[in-house]
Amino acid sequence: NLERADILILSGDYTNEGTVQEAKIVNEWLGKMKQKHGYKHILLINGNHEGFGDIVLSEKYKKYLREHQKRITEPQQVEVLMRMYDEQMMKLRQIMSHCTILHEEELVVEGIR
């Protein structure tokens, strides 16, 4: 049960598998909650699930793991994975139209930082 407020903050694990499809469903729900409860701002902070689902399921990622014996330990391997995650974050930001996704950044809302 959600109460009326100016700001709603969701912090982590708003999906089960971390897929774009799940994010679309959450975005629809957020739109309904925003309208019903009059939230001026909805802030979303990804948990360890968000963003990685489609990466892990992608052929690009599976191929990369096969080529590197299913280990990601070297700095350049981590860099490749982080680039894939950044691409996924861009997709999520486009999809999540009813909220602001915070990822390694700060934001001032209603004068609060």
Side-chain angles (χ1 to χ4, degrees):
N1 228 0
L2 298 175
E3 299 292 327
R4 291 189 64 78
D6 290 334
I7 302 170
L8 172 66
I9 301 173
L10 293 165
S11 57
D13 294 348
Y14 57 88
T15 65
N16 289 317
E17 301 296 327
T19 65
V20 167
Q21 186 57 40
E22 287 178 307
K24 288 178 181 178
I25 293 167
V26 171
N27 187 58
E28 288 178 28
W29 178 78
L30 288 175
K32 291 174 186 173
M33 293 301 101
K34 192 173 198 175
Q35 186 175 31
K36 180 178 179 181
H37 298 289
Y39 298 122
K40 293 180 185 175
H41 308 277
I42 298 177
L43 307 179
L44 195 64
I45 302 164
N46 287 339
N48 61 323
H49 293 186
E50 282 71 55
F52 286 103
D54 289 322
I55 292 172
V56 171
L57 297 172
S58 74
E59 285 306 314
K60 180 179 176 182
Y61 180 75
K62 290 175 185 176
K63 179 182 177 192
Y64 191 83
L65 284 181
R66 282 192 303 271
E67 291 171 355
H68 294 88
Q69 291 82 38
K70 296 188 179 186
R71 291 179 291 163
I72 297 179
T73 56
E74 300 298 319
Q76 68 267 27
Q77 293 171 322
V78 173
E79 188 176 314
V80 167
L81 181 59
M82 291 314 297
R83 271 197 311 268
M84 292 171 80
Y85 182 75
D86 289 343
E87 291 170 11
Q88 190 72 0
M89 281 301 302
M90 287 190 322
K91 288 180 191 174
L92 288 175
R93 286 181 193 271
Q94 291 172 345
I95 290 165
M96 302 301 283
S97 59
H98 295 293
C99 64
T100 300
I101 296 177
L102 296 177
H103 177 69
E104 298 180 354
E105 61 206 325
E106 67 178 42
L107 180 70
V108 177
V109 177
E110 302 282 326
I112 301 169
R113 182 173 119 191

